[in-house]
Amino acid sequence: MTQNSSTPIAKVLPVLFGFFVMGFVDVVGTLTAYAKQEFNLSETLANFIPSMIFIWFLLLSVPTAALMNRLGRKKTVQLSNVITIIGMIIPFITFDFHTCMLACILLGIGNTILQVSLNPLLTNVVKGDMLTSSLTAGQVVKAVSAVCAPFIALFATKTLGNWQYIFPIYALITIISAGWLMATPIKEETPSTTTSSLGNTFRLLSDRMVLLCFIGILFVVGVDVGMNTVTPKLLIERVGMDTTNATLGISVYSLCRTIGALIGAAMLLKMADMKYYKIHIYIALVAIIALFFAQGEIAILALVGIIGYTCSSIFSVIFSQALKARPEKANEISGLMVTGICGGAIIPPVMGALTDNMGSQIGSVLVIAICILYLVFFSLIAKTSK
Protein backbone atom coordinates (compact mmCIF):
# COMPACT_ATOMS: atom_id res chain seq x y z
CA MET A 1 0.00 0.00 0.00
CA THR A 2 2.04 3.30 -1.04
CA GLN A 3 -0.41 4.88 0.36
CA ASN A 4 -1.10 1.70 2.26
CA SER A 5 2.04 -0.37 2.66
CA SER A 6 2.74 1.41 5.91
CA THR A 7 -0.68 0.48 7.30
CA PRO A 8 -0.19 -2.10 10.06
CA ILE A 9 -2.27 -5.22 9.53
CA ALA A 10 -3.00 -5.03 13.27
CA LYS A 11 -5.18 -1.98 12.59
CA VAL A 12 -6.94 -3.49 9.58
CA LEU A 13 -7.94 -6.82 11.14
CA PRO A 14 -10.16 -5.55 13.98
CA VAL A 15 -12.02 -3.33 11.51
CA LEU A 16 -12.48 -6.22 9.08
CA PHE A 17 -13.69 -8.43 11.95
CA GLY A 18 -16.45 -5.88 12.46
CA PHE A 19 -17.83 -7.02 9.09
CA PHE A 20 -18.47 -10.42 10.68
CA VAL A 21 -20.79 -8.73 13.16
CA MET A 22 -22.31 -6.83 10.22
CA GLY A 23 -23.19 -10.22 8.71
CA PHE A 24 -25.46 -11.04 11.67
CA VAL A 25 -28.28 -9.31 9.81
CA ASP A 26 -28.25 -12.23 7.37
CA VAL A 27 -29.39 -14.55 10.17
CA VAL A 28 -32.89 -13.24 9.47
CA GLY A 29 -33.78 -16.19 7.20
CA THR A 30 -32.69 -18.74 9.77
CA LEU A 31 -34.27 -16.75 12.61
CA THR A 32 -37.57 -16.45 10.75
CA ALA A 33 -37.73 -20.20 10.14
CA TYR A 34 -37.06 -21.08 13.79
CA ALA A 35 -39.35 -18.35 15.18
CA LYS A 36 -42.20 -19.40 12.88
CA GLN A 37 -42.00 -22.93 14.25
CA GLU A 38 -41.36 -21.92 17.88
CA PHE A 39 -44.27 -19.50 18.12
CA ASN A 40 -46.56 -21.16 15.55
CA LEU A 41 -46.68 -17.98 13.47
CA SER A 42 -48.69 -17.49 10.32
CA GLU A 43 -46.74 -16.97 7.09
CA THR A 44 -47.72 -13.29 7.05
CA LEU A 45 -46.58 -12.64 10.62
CA ALA A 46 -43.35 -14.60 10.12
CA ASN A 47 -42.53 -12.59 7.00
CA PHE A 48 -42.90 -9.42 9.04
CA ILE A 49 -39.72 -10.33 10.98
CA PRO A 50 -37.30 -9.23 8.22
CA SER A 51 -39.11 -5.89 8.00
CA MET A 52 -38.41 -5.28 11.69
CA ILE A 53 -34.71 -5.51 10.86
CA PHE A 54 -34.43 -3.79 7.49
CA ILE A 55 -36.76 -0.85 8.10
CA TRP A 56 -34.03 0.80 10.15
CA PHE A 57 -31.76 1.15 7.12
CA LEU A 58 -34.33 3.56 5.69
CA LEU A 59 -35.04 5.41 8.94
CA LEU A 60 -31.66 5.67 10.65
CA SER A 61 -28.85 5.66 8.07
CA VAL A 62 -28.68 9.40 7.44
CA PRO A 63 -29.27 10.40 11.10
CA THR A 64 -26.44 8.01 12.03
CA ALA A 65 -24.13 9.79 9.59
CA ALA A 66 -24.93 13.07 11.32
CA LEU A 67 -24.32 11.50 14.74
CA MET A 68 -21.00 10.11 13.49
CA ASN A 69 -19.81 13.64 12.77
CA ARG A 70 -20.10 14.35 16.50
CA LEU A 71 -18.95 11.06 18.01
CA GLY A 72 -16.35 10.01 15.47
CA ARG A 73 -16.35 6.78 13.46
CA LYS A 74 -14.82 4.42 16.00
CA LYS A 75 -17.16 5.49 18.82
CA THR A 76 -20.14 5.13 16.49
CA VAL A 77 -19.06 1.57 15.62
CA GLN A 78 -18.79 0.85 19.34
CA LEU A 79 -22.28 2.26 19.90
CA SER A 80 -23.59 -0.21 17.33
CA ASN A 81 -21.79 -3.03 19.16
CA VAL A 82 -23.39 -2.06 22.48
CA ILE A 83 -26.89 -2.01 20.94
CA THR A 84 -26.29 -5.38 19.28
CA ILE A 85 -25.00 -6.93 22.51
CA ILE A 86 -28.05 -5.72 24.44
CA GLY A 87 -30.35 -7.02 21.72
CA MET A 88 -28.72 -10.45 21.77
CA ILE A 89 -28.78 -10.76 25.56
CA ILE A 90 -32.45 -9.82 26.13
CA PRO A 91 -34.07 -12.97 24.65
CA PHE A 92 -31.57 -15.16 26.48
CA ILE A 93 -32.64 -13.67 29.83
CA THR A 94 -36.39 -13.76 29.11
CA PHE A 95 -37.49 -15.60 25.99
CA ASP A 96 -40.88 -15.15 24.38
CA PHE A 97 -42.26 -13.78 21.12
CA HIS A 98 -42.00 -10.16 22.25
CA THR A 99 -38.38 -10.35 23.44
CA CYS A 100 -37.46 -12.19 20.25
CA MET A 101 -38.98 -9.36 18.20
CA LEU A 102 -37.24 -6.77 20.38
CA ALA A 103 -33.97 -8.58 19.62
CA CYS A 104 -34.71 -8.24 15.90
CA ILE A 105 -35.40 -4.52 16.27
CA LEU A 106 -32.18 -3.90 18.20
CA LEU A 107 -30.23 -6.07 15.75
CA GLY A 108 -31.58 -3.96 12.89
CA ILE A 109 -30.76 -0.68 14.66
CA GLY A 110 -27.28 -1.86 15.62
CA ASN A 111 -26.58 -3.21 12.15
CA THR A 112 -27.71 0.00 10.47
CA ILE A 113 -25.37 2.07 12.67
CA LEU A 114 -22.56 -0.42 12.01
CA GLN A 115 -22.98 -0.38 8.23
CA VAL A 116 -22.93 3.41 8.19
CA SER A 117 -19.85 3.79 10.39
CA LEU A 118 -17.65 0.77 9.67
CA ASN A 119 -17.01 1.49 5.98
CA PRO A 120 -15.74 5.05 6.66
CA LEU A 121 -13.67 3.74 9.59
CA LEU A 122 -11.93 1.42 7.14
CA THR A 123 -10.82 4.50 5.17
CA ASN A 124 -8.89 5.59 8.27
CA VAL A 125 -6.67 2.50 8.11
CA VAL A 126 -6.65 1.87 4.32
CA LYS A 127 -6.11 4.54 1.69
CA GLY A 128 -5.91 5.03 -2.06
CA ASP A 129 -6.03 2.15 -4.53
CA MET A 130 -6.42 -0.43 -1.76
CA LEU A 131 -9.77 0.95 -0.60
CA THR A 132 -12.04 -0.94 -3.03
CA SER A 133 -10.18 -4.20 -2.42
CA SER A 134 -10.41 -3.71 1.34
CA LEU A 135 -14.12 -2.93 1.17
CA THR A 136 -14.53 -6.13 -0.87
CA ALA A 137 -12.52 -8.06 1.74
CA GLY A 138 -14.98 -6.74 4.31
CA GLN A 139 -17.84 -8.07 2.21
CA VAL A 140 -16.10 -11.46 2.12
CA VAL A 141 -16.02 -11.50 5.93
CA LYS A 142 -19.69 -10.46 5.99
CA ALA A 143 -20.54 -13.25 3.53
CA VAL A 144 -18.69 -15.81 5.66
CA SER A 145 -20.77 -14.65 8.63
CA ALA A 146 -23.95 -15.20 6.61
CA VAL A 147 -22.82 -18.69 5.59
CA CYS A 148 -22.05 -19.49 9.24
CA ALA A 149 -25.51 -18.46 10.51
CA PRO A 150 -27.31 -21.79 9.81
CA PHE A 151 -24.37 -23.74 11.26
CA ILE A 152 -24.31 -21.60 14.42
CA ALA A 153 -28.05 -22.26 14.79
CA LEU A 154 -27.44 -25.98 14.23
CA PHE A 155 -24.67 -25.98 16.85
CA ALA A 156 -26.97 -24.19 19.31
CA THR A 157 -29.72 -26.72 18.67
CA LYS A 158 -27.77 -29.98 18.57
CA THR A 159 -24.88 -29.28 20.96
CA LEU A 160 -26.29 -26.72 23.39
CA GLY A 161 -29.83 -28.09 23.27
CA ASN A 162 -31.83 -25.08 22.03
CA TRP A 163 -31.70 -22.77 19.00
CA GLN A 164 -32.17 -19.80 21.37
CA TYR A 165 -28.48 -20.05 22.29
CA ILE A 166 -27.74 -18.38 18.97
CA PHE A 167 -28.43 -15.08 20.75
CA PRO A 168 -25.73 -15.33 23.44
CA ILE A 169 -23.29 -16.74 20.87
CA TYR A 170 -23.77 -13.63 18.76
CA ALA A 171 -23.51 -11.46 21.88
CA LEU A 172 -20.15 -13.08 22.72
CA ILE A 173 -18.81 -12.57 19.19
CA THR A 174 -19.86 -8.91 19.31
CA ILE A 175 -18.15 -8.45 22.69
CA ILE A 176 -14.94 -9.86 21.20
CA SER A 177 -15.22 -7.50 18.23
CA ALA A 178 -15.85 -4.48 20.48
CA GLY A 179 -12.96 -5.37 22.79
CA TRP A 180 -10.53 -5.89 19.90
CA LEU A 181 -11.48 -2.56 18.34
CA MET A 182 -11.27 -0.78 21.70
CA ALA A 183 -7.70 -2.04 22.14
CA THR A 184 -6.70 -0.80 18.65
CA PRO A 185 -5.63 2.85 18.32
CA ILE A 186 -6.98 4.36 15.09
CA LYS A 187 -6.28 7.94 14.10
CA GLU A 188 -9.29 9.65 12.59
CA GLU A 189 -10.51 13.14 11.89
CA THR A 190 -11.47 15.27 14.88
CA PRO A 191 -15.25 14.95 15.38
CA SER A 192 -17.17 18.01 14.26
CA THR A 193 -18.73 20.27 16.86
CA THR A 194 -21.76 20.59 14.61
CA THR A 195 -23.72 17.85 12.92
CA SER A 196 -24.81 17.92 9.30
CA SER A 197 -28.54 18.42 8.92
CA LEU A 198 -30.60 15.79 7.17
CA GLY A 199 -31.28 18.34 4.44
CA ASN A 200 -27.58 18.95 3.86
CA THR A 201 -26.91 15.23 3.69
CA PHE A 202 -29.67 14.55 1.19
CA ARG A 203 -28.51 17.60 -0.75
CA LEU A 204 -25.43 15.59 -1.66
CA LEU A 205 -27.70 13.73 -4.07
CA SER A 206 -27.50 16.84 -6.25
CA ASP A 207 -23.97 15.66 -7.02
CA ARG A 208 -24.53 13.55 -10.13
CA MET A 209 -21.98 10.88 -9.19
CA VAL A 210 -23.37 10.51 -5.67
CA LEU A 211 -26.90 10.16 -7.07
CA LEU A 212 -25.78 7.53 -9.59
CA CYS A 213 -24.04 5.58 -6.82
CA PHE A 214 -27.09 5.80 -4.54
CA ILE A 215 -29.37 4.38 -7.24
CA GLY A 216 -26.70 1.78 -7.97
CA ILE A 217 -26.74 0.62 -4.34
CA LEU A 218 -30.55 0.40 -4.45
CA PHE A 219 -30.40 -1.83 -7.51
CA VAL A 220 -27.44 -4.02 -6.58
CA VAL A 221 -29.08 -4.84 -3.23
CA GLY A 222 -32.31 -5.40 -5.14
CA VAL A 223 -30.51 -7.91 -7.37
CA ASP A 224 -29.09 -9.70 -4.34
CA VAL A 225 -32.37 -9.99 -2.43
CA GLY A 226 -34.27 -10.61 -5.66
CA MET A 227 -32.06 -13.55 -6.65
CA ASN A 228 -32.45 -15.05 -3.19
CA THR A 229 -36.21 -14.76 -3.59
CA VAL A 230 -36.68 -15.93 -7.17
CA THR A 231 -34.20 -18.84 -7.33
CA PRO A 232 -36.30 -21.44 -5.46
CA LYS A 233 -39.46 -20.24 -7.20
CA LEU A 234 -37.86 -20.74 -10.62
CA LEU A 235 -36.84 -24.28 -9.67
CA ILE A 236 -40.38 -25.04 -8.46
CA GLU A 237 -42.03 -23.51 -11.53
CA ARG A 238 -39.73 -24.83 -14.25
CA VAL A 239 -38.27 -28.03 -12.80
CA GLY A 240 -41.09 -29.14 -10.51
CA MET A 241 -38.90 -29.34 -7.38
CA ASP A 242 -40.45 -29.49 -3.95
CA THR A 243 -39.93 -26.47 -1.71
CA THR A 244 -37.30 -28.08 0.52
CA ASN A 245 -34.98 -29.00 -2.34
CA ALA A 246 -35.67 -25.78 -4.24
CA THR A 247 -34.43 -23.63 -1.37
CA LEU A 248 -31.02 -25.28 -1.75
CA GLY A 249 -30.67 -23.16 -4.86
CA ILE A 250 -30.13 -20.19 -2.54
CA SER A 251 -27.04 -21.96 -1.20
CA VAL A 252 -25.61 -22.12 -4.73
CA TYR A 253 -26.13 -18.39 -5.12
CA SER A 254 -24.65 -17.58 -1.68
CA LEU A 255 -21.63 -19.85 -2.17
CA CYS A 256 -20.81 -18.39 -5.59
CA ARG A 257 -21.27 -14.90 -4.19
CA THR A 258 -18.83 -15.63 -1.35
CA ILE A 259 -16.26 -17.11 -3.74
CA GLY A 260 -16.70 -14.13 -6.05
CA ALA A 261 -16.13 -11.65 -3.22
CA LEU A 262 -12.99 -13.50 -2.14
CA ILE A 263 -11.52 -13.59 -5.65
CA GLY A 264 -12.71 -10.03 -6.27
CA ALA A 265 -10.76 -8.75 -3.26
CA ALA A 266 -7.60 -10.22 -4.81
CA MET A 267 -8.35 -9.04 -8.36
CA LEU A 268 -9.08 -5.48 -7.25
CA LEU A 269 -5.54 -5.26 -5.86
CA LYS A 270 -4.22 -5.47 -9.43
CA MET A 271 -7.09 -4.25 -11.61
CA ALA A 272 -8.77 -0.84 -11.85
CA ASP A 273 -12.07 -1.08 -10.03
CA MET A 274 -14.24 0.19 -12.90
CA LYS A 275 -12.56 -2.19 -15.37
CA TYR A 276 -13.35 -5.06 -12.98
CA TYR A 277 -16.90 -3.73 -12.63
CA LYS A 278 -17.53 -3.57 -16.39
CA ILE A 279 -16.30 -7.09 -17.12
CA HIS A 280 -18.41 -8.61 -14.36
CA ILE A 281 -21.61 -6.66 -14.88
CA TYR A 282 -21.62 -7.46 -18.61
CA ILE A 283 -21.34 -11.17 -17.82
CA ALA A 284 -24.17 -10.78 -15.29
CA LEU A 285 -26.32 -9.17 -18.00
CA VAL A 286 -25.76 -12.10 -20.37
CA ALA A 287 -26.58 -14.55 -17.55
CA ILE A 288 -29.84 -12.84 -16.57
CA ILE A 289 -30.96 -12.74 -20.21
CA ALA A 290 -30.20 -16.47 -20.49
CA LEU A 291 -32.23 -17.06 -17.30
CA PHE A 292 -35.37 -15.99 -19.17
CA PHE A 293 -35.07 -19.14 -21.29
CA ALA A 294 -33.32 -21.70 -19.03
CA GLN A 295 -35.44 -24.74 -18.19
CA GLY A 296 -33.29 -27.50 -16.71
CA GLU A 297 -32.09 -27.62 -13.11
CA ILE A 298 -28.39 -27.51 -14.02
CA ALA A 299 -28.86 -24.60 -16.43
CA ILE A 300 -30.84 -22.56 -13.90
CA LEU A 301 -28.41 -23.21 -11.04
CA ALA A 302 -25.40 -22.47 -13.28
CA LEU A 303 -26.84 -19.11 -14.31
CA VAL A 304 -27.84 -18.30 -10.72
CA GLY A 305 -24.27 -19.08 -9.64
CA ILE A 306 -22.81 -16.87 -12.39
CA ILE A 307 -24.99 -13.95 -11.33
CA GLY A 308 -24.00 -14.45 -7.69
CA TYR A 309 -20.31 -14.59 -8.63
CA THR A 310 -20.29 -11.60 -10.99
CA CYS A 311 -22.35 -9.32 -8.73
CA SER A 312 -20.44 -10.20 -5.55
CA SER A 313 -18.13 -7.16 -5.52
CA ILE A 314 -20.35 -4.65 -7.32
CA PHE A 315 -21.61 -3.18 -4.04
CA SER A 316 -18.04 -2.48 -2.89
CA VAL A 317 -17.05 -0.80 -6.17
CA ILE A 318 -20.09 1.49 -6.14
CA PHE A 319 -19.59 2.32 -2.46
CA SER A 320 -15.93 3.18 -3.03
CA GLN A 321 -16.81 5.32 -6.06
CA ALA A 322 -19.20 7.31 -3.88
CA LEU A 323 -16.57 7.79 -1.15
CA LYS A 324 -13.99 8.88 -3.73
CA ALA A 325 -16.45 11.33 -5.28
CA ARG A 326 -16.78 13.34 -2.06
CA PRO A 327 -14.09 12.15 0.39
CA GLU A 328 -14.57 15.20 2.60
CA LYS A 329 -18.17 14.06 3.16
CA ALA A 330 -17.39 10.38 3.79
CA ASN A 331 -19.68 10.12 6.84
CA GLU A 332 -22.69 11.59 5.05
CA ILE A 333 -21.96 9.61 1.88
CA SER A 334 -21.85 6.40 3.90
CA GLY A 335 -25.21 7.22 5.44
CA LEU A 336 -26.75 7.82 2.03
CA MET A 337 -25.32 4.64 0.54
CA VAL A 338 -26.48 2.49 3.46
CA THR A 339 -29.95 4.03 3.11
CA GLY A 340 -29.86 2.48 -0.35
CA ILE A 341 -29.88 -0.98 1.25
CA CYS A 342 -33.64 -0.45 1.60
CA GLY A 343 -33.64 -1.48 -2.07
CA GLY A 344 -33.87 -4.98 -0.61
CA ALA A 345 -37.30 -4.05 0.70
CA ILE A 346 -38.43 -2.22 -2.46
CA ILE A 347 -37.49 -4.56 -5.32
CA PRO A 348 -39.10 -7.86 -4.09
CA PRO A 349 -42.66 -6.40 -3.84
CA VAL A 350 -42.28 -5.05 -7.38
CA MET A 351 -41.17 -8.53 -8.47
CA GLY A 352 -44.20 -10.07 -6.76
CA ALA A 353 -46.65 -7.64 -8.33
CA LEU A 354 -45.28 -8.16 -11.84
CA THR A 355 -45.17 -11.94 -11.37
CA ASP A 356 -48.82 -11.99 -10.26
CA ASN A 357 -49.69 -9.85 -13.28
CA MET A 358 -47.79 -12.02 -15.78
CA GLY A 359 -48.63 -15.34 -14.14
CA SER A 360 -45.05 -16.63 -14.04
CA GLN A 361 -41.62 -15.95 -12.55
CA ILE A 362 -40.63 -14.27 -15.83
CA GLY A 363 -41.96 -11.13 -14.16
CA SER A 364 -39.46 -11.42 -11.32
CA VAL A 365 -36.57 -12.13 -13.70
CA LEU A 366 -37.58 -9.07 -15.74
CA VAL A 367 -37.36 -6.81 -12.67
CA ILE A 368 -33.88 -8.15 -11.82
CA ALA A 369 -32.82 -7.68 -15.46
CA ILE A 370 -33.90 -4.03 -15.29
CA CYS A 371 -31.78 -3.57 -12.15
CA ILE A 372 -28.76 -5.08 -13.91
CA LEU A 373 -29.37 -2.89 -16.97
CA TYR A 374 -29.07 0.17 -14.74
CA LEU A 375 -25.81 -1.20 -13.31
CA VAL A 376 -24.53 -1.56 -16.91
CA PHE A 377 -25.60 2.03 -17.56
CA PHE A 378 -23.66 3.09 -14.44
CA SER A 379 -20.52 1.45 -15.81
CA LEU A 380 -20.77 3.52 -19.00
CA ILE A 381 -21.12 6.94 -17.42
CA ALA A 382 -19.56 6.70 -13.93
CA LYS A 383 -16.09 7.87 -14.94
CA THR A 384 -17.34 10.87 -16.89
CA SER A 385 -19.82 12.02 -14.25
CA LYS A 386 -19.17 15.27 -12.41
Coordinates of all heavy atoms in Angstrom, one line a residue, residues 34 38-39 91-92 95 152-169:
Y34 N -37.0 -20.5 12.4 CA -37.1 -21.1 13.8 C -38.2 -20.4 14.6 O -38.9 -21.1 15.3 CB -35.7 -20.9 14.5 CG -34.7 -22.0 14.2 CD1 -33.6 -21.7 13.4 CD2 -34.8 -23.2 14.8 CE1 -32.7 -22.7 13.1 CE2 -33.8 -24.2 14.5 CZ -32.8 -23.9 13.7 OH -31.9 -24.9 13.4
E38 N -41.3 -22.1 16.4 CA -41.4 -21.9 17.9 C -42.7 -21.3 18.4 O -43.3 -21.8 19.3 CB -40.2 -21.1 18.3 CG -40.1 -20.8 19.8 CD -39.5 -21.9 20.6 OE1 -38.8 -22.8 20.0 OE2 -39.7 -22.0 21.8
F39 N -43.1 -20.3 17.7 CA -44.3 -19.5 18.1 C -45.5 -19.8 17.3 O -46.5 -19.1 17.5 CB -44.0 -18.0 18.1 CG -42.8 -17.6 18.9 CD1 -41.6 -17.1 18.3 CD2 -42.7 -17.8 20.3 CE1 -40.5 -16.7 19.1 CE2 -41.6 -17.5 21.0 CZ -40.5 -16.9 20.4
P91 N -33.3 -11.7 24.8 CA -34.1 -13.0 24.6 C -33.5 -14.2 25.4 O -34.2 -15.2 25.6 CB -34.1 -13.2 23.1 CG -32.9 -12.5 22.6 CD -32.7 -11.3 23.5
F92 N -32.2 -14.1 25.7 CA -31.6 -15.2 26.5 C -32.0 -15.1 27.9 O -32.2 -16.1 28.6 CB -30.0 -15.1 26.4 CG -29.3 -16.2 27.1 CD1 -29.5 -17.5 26.8 CD2 -28.5 -15.9 28.2 CE1 -28.8 -18.5 27.5 CE2 -27.8 -16.9 28.9 CZ -28.0 -18.2 28.5
F95 N -37.2 -15.3 27.4 CA -37.5 -15.6 26.0 C -39.0 -15.8 25.8 O -39.6 -16.7 26.4 CB -36.7 -16.9 25.6 CG -36.9 -17.2 24.1 CD1 -36.1 -16.6 23.2 CD2 -37.8 -18.1 23.7 CE1 -36.3 -16.8 21.8 CE2 -38.0 -18.4 22.4 CZ -37.2 -17.8 21.4
I152 N -24.3 -22.0 13.0 CA -24.3 -21.6 14.4 C -25.6 -22.0 15.1 O -25.7 -22.5 16.2 CB -24.1 -20.1 14.5 CG1 -22.7 -19.7 14.1 CG2 -24.4 -19.6 15.9 CD1 -22.4 -18.2 14.0
A153 N -26.7 -21.8 14.3 CA -28.0 -22.3 14.8 C -28.1 -23.8 15.0 O -28.7 -24.3 16.0 CB -29.1 -21.8 13.8
L154 N -27.5 -24.5 14.1 CA -27.4 -26.0 14.2 C -26.6 -26.4 15.4 O -27.0 -27.3 16.2 CB -26.8 -26.6 13.0 CG -26.8 -28.1 12.9 CD1 -28.2 -28.7 12.9 CD2 -26.0 -28.6 11.7
F155 N -25.5 -25.7 15.7 CA -24.7 -26.0 16.8 C -25.5 -25.7 18.1 O -25.4 -26.5 19.1 CB -23.4 -25.1 16.8 CG -22.6 -25.2 18.0 CD1 -21.7 -26.3 18.3 CD2 -22.6 -24.1 19.0 CE1 -21.0 -26.3 19.5 CE2 -21.9 -24.2 20.1 CZ -21.0 -25.3 20.4
A156 N -26.2 -24.6 18.1 CA -27.0 -24.2 19.3 C -28.0 -25.2 19.6 O -28.3 -25.6 20.7 CB -27.6 -22.8 19.1
T157 N -28.6 -25.8 18.5 CA -29.7 -26.7 18.7 C -29.2 -28.1 19.1 O -29.7 -28.7 20.1 CB -30.5 -26.8 17.4 OG1 -31.0 -25.5 17.0 CG2 -31.7 -27.8 17.5
K158 N -28.2 -28.6 18.4 CA -27.8 -30.0 18.6 C -26.8 -30.1 19.8 O -26.9 -31.1 20.5 CB -27.1 -30.5 17.3 CG -28.0 -30.5 16.1 CD -29.1 -31.5 16.2 CE -29.9 -31.6 14.9 NZ -31.1 -32.5 15.1
T159 N -25.9 -29.2 19.9 CA -24.9 -29.3 21.0 C -25.3 -28.6 22.3 O -25.1 -29.2 23.4 CB -23.5 -28.7 20.5 OG1 -23.2 -29.3 19.3 CG2 -22.5 -28.9 21.5
L160 N -25.9 -27.4 22.2 CA -26.3 -26.7 23.4 C -27.7 -27.0 23.8 O -28.1 -26.7 24.9 CB -26.1 -25.2 23.2 CG -24.7 -24.8 22.8 CD1 -24.6 -23.3 22.6 CD2 -23.7 -25.2 23.9
G161 N -28.5 -27.6 22.9 CA -29.8 -28.1 23.3 C -31.0 -27.2 22.9 O -32.1 -27.6 23.0
N162 N -30.7 -26.0 22.4 CA -31.8 -25.1 22.0 C -31.3 -24.0 21.1 O -30.3 -23.4 21.3 CB -32.4 -24.4 23.3 CG -33.8 -23.8 23.0 OD1 -34.0 -23.1 22.1 ND2 -34.7 -24.1 23.9
W163 N -32.1 -23.8 20.0 CA -31.7 -22.8 19.0 C -31.6 -21.4 19.6 O -30.9 -20.5 19.1 CB -32.7 -22.7 17.8 CG -34.0 -22.1 18.2 CD1 -35.1 -22.7 18.7 CD2 -34.4 -20.7 18.0 NE1 -36.1 -21.8 18.9 CE2 -35.7 -20.6 18.4 CE3 -33.7 -19.6 17.5 CZ2 -36.4 -19.4 18.4 CZ3 -34.4 -18.4 17.4 CH2 -35.7 -18.3 17.9
Q164 N -32.2 -21.1 20.7 CA -32.2 -19.8 21.4 C -30.8 -19.4 21.8 O -30.5 -18.2 21.9 CB -33.1 -19.8 22.6 CG -34.5 -20.1 22.3 CD -35.3 -20.4 23.5 OE1 -35.0 -20.0 24.6 NE2 -36.5 -21.1 23.4
Y165 N -29.9 -20.4 21.9 CA -28.5 -20.1 22.3 C -27.7 -19.3 21.2 O -26.6 -18.8 21.4 CB -27.7 -21.3 22.7 CG -28.1 -21.9 24.0 CD1 -29.0 -22.9 24.2 CD2 -27.6 -21.3 25.2 CE1 -29.3 -23.4 25.4 CE2 -27.9 -21.8 26.4 CZ -28.8 -22.8 26.6 OH -29.1 -23.3 27.8
I166 N -28.4 -19.2 20.0 CA -27.7 -18.4 19.0 C -27.6 -16.9 19.4 O -26.6 -16.2 19.0 CB -28.6 -18.5 17.7 CG1 -27.8 -17.9 16.5 CG2 -29.9 -17.7 17.8 CD1 -28.5 -18.1 15.1
F167 N -28.5 -16.5 20.3 CA -28.4 -15.1 20.7 C -27.2 -14.8 21.6 O -26.4 -13.9 21.3 CB -29.7 -14.7 21.5 CG -30.9 -14.7 20.6 CD1 -31.9 -15.7 20.7 CD2 -31.1 -13.7 19.6 CE1 -33.0 -15.6 19.9 CE2 -32.2 -13.7 18.8 CZ -33.2 -14.7 19.0
P168 N -26.9 -15.6 22.7 CA -25.7 -15.3 23.4 C -24.4 -15.6 22.7 O -23.4 -15.0 22.9 CB -25.9 -16.3 24.7 CG -26.8 -17.3 24.3 CD -27.8 -16.6 23.3
I169 N -24.5 -16.5 21.7 CA -23.3 -16.7 20.9 C -23.0 -15.5 20.1 O -21.8 -15.0 20.0 CB -23.5 -17.9 19.9 CG1 -23.6 -19.2 20.7 CG2 -22.4 -18.0 18.9 CD1 -23.9 -20.4 19.8

